Amino acid sequence: MDQTAVVRTQLTVPLRLSDGFTATARVFTFQGLADGGEHLALGLGDRSVAPVASADGPPPLVRLHSECLTGDVFGSQRCDCGPQLREAVERIDERGGYVLYLRQEGRGIGLYAKLDAYALQDAGLDTYDANVALGYAKDLRDYTVAAQMLHALGETRVDLLSNNPDKACQLDRLGVTVASRVPTAVHVSPANHRYLSAKAQRGAHTLDLSSSPVERPGA
C-alpha cells in the first residue's frame, strides 16, 4: 500500500438508531484515499473522543461495513446488513473501536446493479451467480481504503468484527495486523436464509446456519 491518507475532518455526532439505541460517535472523513470515495470512520466508545493509538494496549474492535442502502436504511430482510450494522455499533460502543462505513454497495457493483442482481436471484440464481451473470466478479470489494483509514487513525493492530475471512486476509496484506477475528451473530430470517447459505457455502463466511434459529417477522 503506497498511498497515504490523512484525516480530513472529525466531529462528534450523537446517534439514535431505529430501535432507540443511542451512542456518541466521532465521525472522521479522509483525504488521499486510493479510490477517491467518501468513506467514513465512526469512532465509538473510547474512540468517540479522539483517535487513541493502541500500540501498548488492547486493539480496537473494528467492523468493515460495506454500504447497503436497502438493508441499512430501509430495513430490507433480503440480507443481514442492517442487523449486522446495528450489532456492530452497540458492541463497538461497549468495547471501543471503529465502524468503517465503506461505499461498496452490492459487494462493489453499485445500487442499481445490486437490484438487477436481486431480480436474477428471484429467477433462481444465488447472490454470487447473479453478479457474474451481470458481468461482474462475485465480490469486487477491495479493502485498501479501509487499511488507509486505519493507518490515518494510528491503528495498525485490530480485532476484526466479521464472519468474512477475506477481510482479515486483505487487512493483513495491507499492513494492518488482525489480532483476532470476532464473529458477528447470525441474523437469519426466512427472507435471507438462501442468501446466507450462499455466503457460507461459496464465500467461506463462518456462518453456522444449522444452529441458528430463523427469525420470524415480528419476532
Side-chain angles (χ1 to χ4, degrees):
M1 185 179 62
D2 300 324
Q3 191 169 345
T4 300
V6 296
V7 172
R8 174 181 172 273
T9 56
Q10 55 178 295
L11 68 157
T12 299
V13 176
L15 305 179
R16 181 181 176 86
L17 304 187
S18 60
D19 62 355
F21 179 80
T22 60
T24 298
R26 190 73 175 169
V27 178
F28 299 86
T29 68
F30 301 86
Q31 61 185 29
L33 295 177
D35 66 0
E38 294 185 332
H39 309 281
L40 298 176
L42 280 70
L44 296 159
D46 61 2
R47 266 66 172 186
S48 67
V49 179
V52 180
S54 57
D56 299 321
L61 185 60
V62 172
R63 167 76 183 166
L64 310 186
H65 188 87
S66 297
E67 178 181 37
C68 177
L69 179 71
T70 51
D72 298 340
V73 177
F74 298 117
S76 169
Q77 294 188 44
R78 294 187 67 134
C79 62
D80 58 343
C81 301
Q84 282 193 324
L85 179 60
R86 168 64 180 82
E87 176 192 357
V89 170
E90 182 169 3
R91 291 180 68 176
I92 294 173
D93 188 55
E94 292 174 354
R95 161 80 180 271
Y98 297 95
V99 172
L100 304 189
Y101 198 77
L102 307 174
R103 314 302 295 276
Q104 301 187 120
E105 184 81 48
R107 295 200 304 276
I109 68 176
L111 178 60
Y112 278 18
K114 182 181 81 170
L115 295 175
D116 292 340
Y118 278 176
L120 292 176
Q121 291 169 41
D122 289 344
L125 297 184
D126 73 19
T127 180
Y128 295 105
D129 286 338
N131 281 19
V132 171
L134 292 171
Y136 300 101
K138 292 187 298 183
D139 192 337
L140 285 171
R141 289 176 296 179
D142 183 318
Y143 297 104
T144 298
V145 294
Q148 287 182 294
M149 294 159 75
L150 289 168
H151 280 287
L153 293 167
E155 305 288 1
T156 58
R157 182 170 173 267
V158 303
D159 286 338
L160 185 65
L161 183 62
S162 178
N163 298 323
N164 183 356
D166 183 52
K167 292 180 179 180
C169 290
Q170 288 201 39
L171 285 183
D172 279 327
R173 178 170 51 80
L174 293 162
V176 176
T177 299
V178 176
S180 67
R181 187 159 58 87
V182 181
T184 71
V186 180
H187 303 281
V188 61
S189 72
N192 70 20
H193 190 277
R194 189 164 70 100
Y195 164 79
L196 293 182
S197 295
K199 291 208 310 186
Q201 295 167 13
R202 301 191 60 190
H205 290 232
T206 50
L207 296 167
D208 183 2
L209 298 178
S210 64
S211 61
S212 300
V214 175
E215 299 170 1
R216 301 296 175 185

